Amino acid sequence: FLGGTVSGLRNFRTDFLEEWPTPGTGPHFDTTMSSNFTGLVGKTVQLVCKVKNLGNRTVSWVRHRDIHLLTVGRYTYTSDQRFEALHSPHTEEWSLKIRYPQRKDSGIYECQISTTPPIGHPVYLTIVEPETIIVGAPDLFVNKGSTINLTCLVRYAPEPPPKMTWSHNAEEINFDSPRGGISLVTEKGPETTSRLMIQRAVPSDSGIYTCLPSNANPSSIRVHVVKEEHPAAMHHGDGSTSYAKSLLLPLSIILTLNIIFV
């Protein structure tokens, strides 16, 4: 009986304990690594997972959306050639490379270690598209004689736009035109800002203004140059629009009529 007990303990150590390593000594994830990754549409992105004490285990990447096995070790197991396993020998980092990512690639990916059962570490990928915004769109009302001040923002572009062009009613704005008083200031960075200023606005300056970054979609705004403060919408200088004034007069008339007929 004693021999059977010793044999059973030996089997227990072999079959069970080796599969459940002591915390901190067996393979485990470096959780100090970032779990959130952001990529740009069409620009290669890498998800990185750091594993310590891997030993003879293997690391895999699984896509949560469809429980699809993408990579095992340094081998890629999916037919989608945009995905690739990356690992430099004698390092702790295991990466999943995604070429030409699309918005649909956003979601949860899990880095797994081949213990029994496997242990996993989820990472979150967000793929964003370049976007162009003109502050105050779709409509801006300005007084005749004042300055038209338009601000265009370009976000999530693969790089700052090499060129920023503005057009008025589908014609590129000529800063050397006889009209004068037109200036453009562009500040490039992770978020590129382009400010178009047109001094001494006249009715012919009304129309559709379009900001056209060379590496992102265009954005437009309709500018109305009015002779006096427009009753239905007032420009506040920050691109916001107020409709309160247009409601005051009708409301006062309604209240007066109510008093008369009560």
Side-chain angles (χ1 to χ4, degrees):
F1 178 78
L2 183 59
T5 302
V6 171
S7 175
L9 285 173
R10 186 180 300 112
N11 290 337
F12 176 80
R13 289 193 186 95
T14 303
D15 299 338
F16 187 81
L17 290 182
E18 287 186 4
E19 299 296 334
W20 292 83
T22 304
T25 61
H28 59 279
F29 298 101
D30 182 348
T31 54
T32 63
M33 295 283 289
S34 174
S35 295
N36 294 296
F37 295 85
T38 300
L40 300 169
V41 168
K43 188 174 183 181
T44 300
V45 64
Q46 285 188 27
L47 308 183
V48 182
C49 173
K50 195 170 184 179
V51 179
K52 294 186 172 295
N53 299 335
L54 182 61
N56 61 355
R57 311 291 184 178
T58 57
V59 175
S60 304
W61 282 96
V62 176
R63 182 170 58 202
H64 260 221
R65 167 162 53 89
D66 49 6
I67 318 299
H68 187 55
L69 181 65
L70 300 172
T71 68
V72 176
R74 296 171 65 185
Y75 298 95
T76 303
Y77 267 67
T78 177
S79 59
D80 189 337
Q81 297 181 356
R82 299 180 306 127
F83 293 89
E84 181 185 357
L86 293 179
H87 174 69
S88 298
H90 313 299
T91 66
E92 298 177 330
E93 292 187 357
W94 297 80
S95 300
L96 176 66
K97 184 177 183 178
I98 308 174
R99 296 184 182 89
Y100 309 109
Q102 304 299 316
R103 290 284 295 273
K104 67 178 182 180
D105 293 316
S106 297
I108 302 174
Y109 293 77
E110 187 169 287
C111 180
Q112 289 187 351
I113 303 173
S114 64
T115 51
T116 305
I119 54 176
H121 175 65
V123 300
Y124 305 87
L125 173 64
T126 304
I127 299 296
V128 294
E129 279 187 284
E131 65 177 14
T132 308
I133 300 169
I134 296 182
V135 178
D139 288 275
L140 178 68
F141 293 83
V142 297
N143 293 327
K144 179 183 176 183
S146 63
T147 299
I148 299 172
N149 192 344
L150 303 178
T151 300
C152 177
L153 305 175
V154 181
R155 300 170 177 161
Y156 311 129
E159 59 185 5
K163 186 179 181 183
M164 293 287 291
T165 306
W166 284 82
S167 69
H168 176 220
N169 293 333
E171 291 188 9
E172 185 173 339
I173 293 175
N174 179 9
F175 296 95
D176 298 322
S177 68
R179 189 237 182 267
I182 305 176
S183 60
L184 180 67
V185 178
T186 299
E187 298 174 4
K188 295 184 178 182
E191 179 177 284
T192 294
T193 303
S194 183
R195 293 183 176 88
L196 176 68
M197 286 169 284
I198 303 172
Q199 298 176 358
R200 301 179 298 280
V202 294
S204 61
D205 291 324
S206 296
I208 297 175
Y209 287 82
T210 304
C211 172
L212 302 108
S214 56
N215 64 347
N217 291 325
S219 180
S220 298
I221 186 170
R222 184 181 293 274
V223 174
H224 307 263
V225 178
V226 295
K227 292 182 179 179
E228 56 186 350
E229 193 167 55
H230 198 277
M234 299 174 293
H235 174 50
H236 290 276
D238 59 356
S240 63
T241 305
S242 170
Y243 295 89
K245 201 165 197 177
S246 64
L247 298 175
L248 291 178
L249 185 58
L251 184 60
S252 62
I253 293 174
I254 292 169
L255 291 174
T256 304
L257 289 174
N258 284 339
I259 293 170
I260 291 172
F261 289 104
V262 167

